[in-house]
């Protein structure tokens, strides 16, 4: 059997700079402190810790604060040194971190949810703290008064959140696989639309306010780009992970998307090329190539005295085809298929060798990643997960070298 091996060029990789260990349970969130050799972590072990790099090159906690409930989400605003920690009991606690990162003072408790907080965003201009939780709702509260401003309920657990400050629109991903777009106002909200495309819970969202692109990563292993600004309902599918996509970050400057999955996979997608939309799957009672009936088409089976076949779909043309007419597999990166998928025989013939050139690079994080965040200006990434380990990565070998010079903070 003639099998072709398409090796991916893998000259440059993320460089592991540090491993930070010490948490006694899963680390739910970690972020790098801007312009400092430090990071903040929040863990299921009920602690929130600020780590600073010492002369020895090791990170040691300068703040170690124990909470009443496991920490599940976190938001940090560097200029004001305000930190918001979402907890498993549904409450969000606000603290103020001192200039030297040695003290953390309690400010306020927000009774935002009845159950585990899944995401927190602090909006300084409006003085709002917006959050989602496993009580199936998004809530927004005033950080001056501590009052609840509004709440909106979904049919399943709300798992992730993004917010467009300028237009006051929130994107909420949930366990049913839907993303809801809402306009938040002082005491009410309006549902603008729901985005349906994922076949599993949405685990991560990223909103790019400049290009008006929304990226979503889900437990169905896929990422979808929703071209909100294009207003034509254009969506691109990105399939390259082999496990739940837990965290995503879009680098607007280099037009690259970084994504991490639960199995430790780190992917860097080139979004600076024109990609093609994957087709809608067509429905048919018989194979659209050889016209043999599918097994549920009893009438045609009876008429033609043939046995029904299983229905499959060609990923490239979307036609409903039988197994015999779709024996070949191919990757097709321009449509987001980075690994081999089912294609019909005629589509297989149409795919040239150069069409199989990968449009992403894939790397091993070597731990189960549940959360990731980047400091884009320095090209640094921090990953954390259920193995209690936090890893700091130099991403500049894979995300371009012009980051430090061309970066404008937004
Ligand atoms: Zn067929
Ligand atoms: Zn086809």
């Amino acid at each position: 059997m003639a099998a072709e091996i398409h090796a991916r060029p893998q000259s440059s990789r993320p460089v592991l700079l540090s491993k930070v260990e010490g948490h006694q349970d899963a680390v739910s969130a970690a972020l790098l402190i801007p312009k400092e050799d430090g990071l903040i972590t929040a863990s299921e072990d009920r602690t929130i810790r600020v780590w600073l790099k010492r002369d020895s090159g090791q990170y040691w906690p300068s703040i170690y604060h124990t909470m009443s409930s496991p920490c599940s989400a976190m938001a940090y605003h560097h200029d004001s040194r305000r930190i918001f920690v979402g907890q498993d009991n549904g409450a969000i606690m606000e603290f103020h971190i001192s200039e030297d990162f040695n003290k953390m003072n309690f400010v306020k408790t927000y009774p935002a949810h009845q159950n585990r907080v899944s995401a927190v965003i602090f909006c300084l201009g409006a003085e709002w703290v917006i959050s989602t939780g496993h009580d199936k709702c998004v809530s927004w509260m005033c950080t001056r008064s501590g009052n609840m401003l509004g709440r909106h309920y979904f049919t399943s657990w709300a798992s992730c959140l993004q917010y467009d400050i300028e237009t006051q629109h929130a994107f909420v991903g949930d366990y049913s696989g839907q993303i809801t777009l809402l306009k938040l106002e002082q005491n009410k909200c309006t549902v603008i639309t729901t985005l349906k495309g994922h076949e599993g819970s949405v685990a991560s969202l990223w909103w790019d306010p400049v290009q008006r692109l929304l990226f979503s990563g889900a437990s169905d292993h896929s990422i979808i780009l929703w071209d909100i600004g294009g207003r034509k309902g254009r969506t691109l599918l990105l399939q390259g992970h082999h496990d739940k996509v837990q965290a995503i970050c879009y680098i607007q400057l280099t037009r690259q998307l970084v994504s991490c999955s639960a199995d430790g996979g780190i992917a860097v997608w080139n979004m600076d090329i024109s990609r093609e939309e994957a087709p809608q799957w067509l429905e048919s009672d018989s194979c659209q190539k050889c016209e043999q009936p599918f097994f549920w088409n009893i009438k045609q089976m009876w008429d033609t005295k043939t046995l029904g076949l299983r229905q499959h779909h060609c990923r490239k043309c979307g036609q409903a085809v039988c197994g015999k007419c779709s024996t070949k597999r191919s990757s097709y990166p321009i449509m987001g298929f980075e690994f081999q998928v089912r294609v019909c025989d005629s589509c297989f013939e149409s795919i040239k060798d150069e069409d199989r050139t990968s449009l992403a690079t894939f790397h091993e994080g070597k731990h189960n990643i549940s959360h990731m965040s980047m400091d884009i200006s320095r090209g640094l990434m921090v990953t954390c997960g259920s193995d209690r380990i936090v890893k700091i990565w130099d991403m500049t070998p894979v995300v371009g070298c012009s980051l430090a010079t061309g970066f404008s903070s937004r």
Side-chain angles (χ1 to χ4, degrees), residues 17-52:
L17 298 176
S18 289
K19 252 199 221 181
V20 179
E21 292 172 272
H23 278 292
Q24 270 122 48
D25 206 336
V27 184
S28 13
L31 57 90
L32 296 146
I33 303 170
K35 304 178 199 99
E36 295 282 339
D37 264 333
L39 67 153
I40 308 174
T41 56
S43 164
E44 300 286 344
D45 70 6
R46 300 182 179 203
T47 64
I48 172 124
R49 304 184 199 192
V50 177
W51 310 74
L52 296 180

Short mmCIF file of all heavy atoms in Angstrom, two decimals, residues 17-52:
data_model
loop_
_atom_site.label_atom_id
_atom_site.label_comp_id
_atom_site.label_asym_id
_atom_site.label_seq_id
_atom_site.Cartn_x
_atom_site.Cartn_y
_atom_site.Cartn_z
N LEU A 17 10.41 28.15 29.95
CA LEU A 17 11.33 28.99 30.73
C LEU A 17 11.34 28.59 32.20
O LEU A 17 12.40 28.55 32.83
CB LEU A 17 10.93 30.47 30.63
CG LEU A 17 10.96 31.12 29.24
CD1 LEU A 17 10.45 32.54 29.31
CD2 LEU A 17 12.37 31.09 28.65
N SER A 18 10.18 28.32 32.76
CA SER A 18 10.09 27.99 34.19
C SER A 18 8.90 27.09 34.47
O SER A 18 7.89 27.15 33.77
CB SER A 18 9.88 29.26 35.02
OG SER A 18 11.02 30.04 35.03
N LYS A 19 9.07 26.30 35.49
CA LYS A 19 7.97 25.50 36.02
C LYS A 19 7.74 26.01 37.43
O LYS A 19 8.68 26.11 38.21
CB LYS A 19 8.42 24.04 36.13
CG LYS A 19 7.82 23.11 35.11
CD LYS A 19 8.00 21.71 35.64
CE LYS A 19 8.40 20.74 34.58
NZ LYS A 19 8.54 19.39 35.12
N VAL A 20 6.50 26.33 37.76
CA VAL A 20 6.20 26.83 39.09
C VAL A 20 5.33 25.79 39.79
O VAL A 20 4.23 25.48 39.35
CB VAL A 20 5.48 28.20 39.02
CG1 VAL A 20 5.15 28.72 40.40
CG2 VAL A 20 6.34 29.19 38.24
N GLU A 21 5.86 25.24 40.87
CA GLU A 21 5.15 24.18 41.58
C GLU A 21 4.93 24.57 43.03
O GLU A 21 5.70 25.34 43.58
CB GLU A 21 5.95 22.87 41.50
CG GLU A 21 5.97 22.32 40.08
CD GLU A 21 6.91 21.13 39.91
OE1 GLU A 21 8.10 21.34 39.63
OE2 GLU A 21 6.41 20.01 40.08
N GLY A 22 3.90 24.03 43.63
CA GLY A 22 3.62 24.32 45.03
C GLY A 22 2.15 24.22 45.37
O GLY A 22 1.79 23.95 46.50
N HIS A 23 1.28 24.40 44.37
CA HIS A 23 -0.15 24.28 44.64
C HIS A 23 -0.50 22.83 44.97
O HIS A 23 0.08 21.90 44.41
CB HIS A 23 -0.97 24.77 43.45
CG HIS A 23 -1.13 26.26 43.43
ND1 HIS A 23 -1.89 26.92 44.38
CD2 HIS A 23 -0.65 27.21 42.60
CE1 HIS A 23 -1.86 28.23 44.10
NE2 HIS A 23 -1.11 28.42 43.03
N GLN A 24 -1.47 22.68 45.88
CA GLN A 24 -1.85 21.34 46.31
C GLN A 24 -3.04 20.76 45.56
O GLN A 24 -3.48 19.65 45.82
CB GLN A 24 -2.13 21.34 47.81
CG GLN A 24 -0.88 21.05 48.62
CD GLN A 24 -0.58 22.16 49.59
OE1 GLN A 24 -1.45 22.61 50.32
NE2 GLN A 24 0.67 22.63 49.61
N ASP A 25 -3.57 21.55 44.63
CA ASP A 25 -4.70 21.06 43.83
C ASP A 25 -4.63 21.76 42.47
O ASP A 25 -3.73 22.58 42.24
CB ASP A 25 -6.02 21.37 44.57
CG ASP A 25 -7.13 20.41 44.18
OD1 ASP A 25 -7.06 19.83 43.09
OD2 ASP A 25 -8.07 20.24 44.98
N ALA A 26 -5.57 21.45 41.61
CA ALA A 26 -5.58 22.02 40.25
C ALA A 26 -5.46 23.54 40.29
O ALA A 26 -6.05 24.20 41.14
CB ALA A 26 -6.86 21.61 39.54
N VAL A 27 -4.69 24.08 39.36
CA VAL A 27 -4.57 25.53 39.24
C VAL A 27 -5.59 25.98 38.19
O VAL A 27 -5.53 25.56 37.04
CB VAL A 27 -3.14 25.94 38.83
CG1 VAL A 27 -3.00 27.45 38.80
CG2 VAL A 27 -2.11 25.31 39.78
N SER A 28 -6.57 26.78 38.62
CA SER A 28 -7.65 27.14 37.71
C SER A 28 -7.33 28.36 36.85
O SER A 28 -7.91 28.50 35.77
CB SER A 28 -8.96 27.37 38.45
OG SER A 28 -8.78 27.47 39.82
N ALA A 29 -6.46 29.23 37.32
CA ALA A 29 -6.11 30.40 36.51
C ALA A 29 -4.70 30.87 36.85
O ALA A 29 -4.28 30.76 38.00
CB ALA A 29 -7.12 31.53 36.75
N ALA A 30 -4.01 31.36 35.84
CA ALA A 30 -2.66 31.92 36.05
C ALA A 30 -2.47 33.05 35.07
O ALA A 30 -2.91 32.96 33.92
CB ALA A 30 -1.61 30.84 35.82
N LEU A 31 -1.86 34.13 35.52
CA LEU A 31 -1.55 35.21 34.59
C LEU A 31 -0.24 35.88 34.94
O LEU A 31 0.17 35.90 36.09
CB LEU A 31 -2.70 36.22 34.52
CG LEU A 31 -3.17 36.89 35.79
CD1 LEU A 31 -2.41 38.17 36.04
CD2 LEU A 31 -4.65 37.20 35.67
N LEU A 32 0.41 36.41 33.90
CA LEU A 32 1.69 37.07 34.06
C LEU A 32 1.46 38.52 34.43
O LEU A 32 0.57 39.17 33.87
CB LEU A 32 2.48 36.99 32.76
CG LEU A 32 2.84 35.55 32.35
CD1 LEU A 32 2.83 35.40 30.85
CD2 LEU A 32 4.19 35.16 32.94
N ILE A 33 2.23 39.03 35.40
CA ILE A 33 2.09 40.42 35.80
C ILE A 33 2.83 41.26 34.76
O ILE A 33 4.01 41.02 34.51
CB ILE A 33 2.67 40.67 37.21
CG1 ILE A 33 1.98 39.75 38.23
CG2 ILE A 33 2.53 42.13 37.60
CD1 ILE A 33 2.64 39.74 39.60
N PRO A 34 2.15 42.22 34.13
CA PRO A 34 2.82 43.02 33.09
C PRO A 34 4.07 43.71 33.63
O PRO A 34 4.07 44.22 34.76
CB PRO A 34 1.76 44.05 32.69
CG PRO A 34 0.46 43.43 33.07
CD PRO A 34 0.75 42.60 34.29
N LYS A 35 5.10 43.70 32.86
CA LYS A 35 6.38 44.40 33.13
C LYS A 35 7.10 43.92 34.39
O LYS A 35 8.01 44.58 34.88
CB LYS A 35 6.17 45.92 33.21
CG LYS A 35 5.52 46.52 31.97
CD LYS A 35 5.29 48.02 32.15
CE LYS A 35 4.26 48.54 31.17
NZ LYS A 35 2.91 48.70 31.75
N GLU A 36 6.69 42.80 34.93
CA GLU A 36 7.35 42.26 36.13
C GLU A 36 7.71 40.81 35.85
O GLU A 36 7.05 40.15 35.07
CB GLU A 36 6.40 42.25 37.34
CG GLU A 36 5.95 43.60 37.83
CD GLU A 36 7.01 44.31 38.66
OE1 GLU A 36 7.90 43.61 39.19
OE2 GLU A 36 6.93 45.54 38.77
N ASP A 37 8.75 40.32 36.53
CA ASP A 37 9.02 38.89 36.48
C ASP A 37 8.18 38.21 37.53
O ASP A 37 8.68 37.75 38.56
CB ASP A 37 10.52 38.63 36.73
CG ASP A 37 11.25 38.50 35.40
OD1 ASP A 37 10.61 38.10 34.42
OD2 ASP A 37 12.45 38.81 35.37
N GLY A 38 6.88 38.20 37.30
CA GLY A 38 6.00 37.63 38.30
C GLY A 38 4.71 37.13 37.71
O GLY A 38 4.37 37.44 36.57
N LEU A 39 4.00 36.32 38.49
CA LEU A 39 2.70 35.84 38.04
C LEU A 39 1.76 35.66 39.23
O LEU A 39 2.21 35.61 40.39
CB LEU A 39 2.83 34.54 37.25
CG LEU A 39 3.27 33.26 37.93
CD1 LEU A 39 2.71 32.07 37.21
CD2 LEU A 39 4.80 33.18 37.88
N ILE A 40 0.46 35.59 38.90
CA ILE A 40 -0.57 35.39 39.92
C ILE A 40 -1.28 34.09 39.57
O ILE A 40 -1.61 33.85 38.41
CB ILE A 40 -1.58 36.55 39.93
CG1 ILE A 40 -0.86 37.91 40.02
CG2 ILE A 40 -2.57 36.40 41.07
CD1 ILE A 40 -1.76 39.12 39.88
N THR A 41 -1.49 33.25 40.57
CA THR A 41 -2.19 31.99 40.34
C THR A 41 -3.36 31.85 41.31
O THR A 41 -3.31 32.33 42.45
CB THR A 41 -1.25 30.78 40.52
OG1 THR A 41 -0.67 30.83 41.83
CG2 THR A 41 -0.14 30.77 39.48
N ALA A 42 -4.41 31.19 40.84
CA ALA A 42 -5.58 30.90 41.68
C ALA A 42 -5.86 29.41 41.56
O ALA A 42 -5.84 28.87 40.45
CB ALA A 42 -6.78 31.71 41.20
N SER A 43 -6.10 28.77 42.69
CA SER A 43 -6.18 27.31 42.66
C SER A 43 -7.39 26.75 43.41
O SER A 43 -7.97 27.40 44.28
CB SER A 43 -4.88 26.74 43.25
OG SER A 43 -5.02 25.38 43.59
N GLU A 44 -7.70 25.50 43.05
CA GLU A 44 -8.74 24.74 43.76
C GLU A 44 -8.32 24.49 45.21
O GLU A 44 -9.15 24.11 46.04
CB GLU A 44 -8.96 23.39 43.07
CG GLU A 44 -9.41 23.46 41.62
CD GLU A 44 -10.87 23.88 41.44
OE1 GLU A 44 -11.62 23.83 42.42
OE2 GLU A 44 -11.22 24.28 40.32
N ASP A 45 -7.03 24.63 45.52
CA ASP A 45 -6.56 24.42 46.89
C ASP A 45 -6.89 25.63 47.80
O ASP A 45 -6.36 25.73 48.91
CB ASP A 45 -5.06 24.09 46.92
CG ASP A 45 -4.15 25.26 46.56
OD1 ASP A 45 -4.66 26.40 46.40
OD2 ASP A 45 -2.94 25.05 46.43
N ARG A 46 -7.73 26.53 47.29
CA ARG A 46 -8.24 27.70 48.02
C ARG A 46 -7.20 28.80 48.21
O ARG A 46 -7.41 29.69 49.05
CB ARG A 46 -8.75 27.32 49.42
CG ARG A 46 -9.87 26.32 49.40
CD ARG A 46 -10.33 26.03 50.79
NE ARG A 46 -11.44 25.08 50.75
CZ ARG A 46 -12.34 24.94 51.69
NH1 ARG A 46 -12.25 25.69 52.76
NH2 ARG A 46 -13.30 24.08 51.58
N THR A 47 -6.11 28.73 47.52
CA THR A 47 -5.14 29.81 47.69
C THR A 47 -5.02 30.63 46.42
O THR A 47 -5.24 30.15 45.32
CB THR A 47 -3.72 29.30 48.05
OG1 THR A 47 -3.20 28.53 46.95
CG2 THR A 47 -3.74 28.47 49.31
N ILE A 48 -4.70 31.91 46.66
CA ILE A 48 -4.33 32.79 45.59
C ILE A 48 -2.89 33.21 45.91
O ILE A 48 -2.58 33.57 47.04
CB ILE A 48 -5.34 33.94 45.45
CG1 ILE A 48 -4.85 34.97 44.45
CG2 ILE A 48 -5.68 34.62 46.74
CD1 ILE A 48 -5.85 35.17 43.37
N ARG A 49 -1.99 33.09 44.94
CA ARG A 49 -0.58 33.35 45.22
C ARG A 49 0.01 34.29 44.18
O ARG A 49 -0.32 34.20 43.00
CB ARG A 49 0.22 32.04 45.21
CG ARG A 49 -0.34 31.01 46.19
CD ARG A 49 0.50 29.76 46.24
NE ARG A 49 -0.29 28.65 46.81
CZ ARG A 49 0.22 27.48 47.20
NH1 ARG A 49 1.51 27.25 47.09
NH2 ARG A 49 -0.56 26.54 47.69
N VAL A 50 0.84 35.18 44.66
CA VAL A 50 1.62 36.04 43.77
C VAL A 50 3.06 35.56 43.85
O VAL A 50 3.61 35.44 44.96
CB VAL A 50 1.49 37.53 44.17
CG1 VAL A 50 2.36 38.41 43.28
CG2 VAL A 50 0.04 37.99 44.10
N TRP A 51 3.64 35.24 42.70
CA TRP A 51 4.99 34.68 42.66
C TRP A 51 5.92 35.69 42.00
O TRP A 51 5.60 36.21 40.93
CB TRP A 51 5.02 33.40 41.82
CG TRP A 51 4.00 32.36 42.15
CD1 TRP A 51 2.66 32.40 41.86
CD2 TRP A 51 4.22 31.11 42.81
NE1 TRP A 51 2.04 31.25 42.29
CE2 TRP A 51 2.97 30.43 42.87
CE3 TRP A 51 5.36 30.47 43.34
CZ2 TRP A 51 2.82 29.16 43.44
CZ3 TRP A 51 5.21 29.21 43.90
CH2 TRP A 51 3.96 28.57 43.96
N LEU A 52 7.06 35.92 42.62
CA LEU A 52 8.06 36.79 42.00
C LEU A 52 9.33 35.99 41.76
O LEU A 52 9.69 35.10 42.54
CB LEU A 52 8.37 38.00 42.90
CG LEU A 52 7.20 38.97 43.16
CD1 LEU A 52 7.66 40.10 44.07
CD2 LEU A 52 6.64 39.55 41.86
#
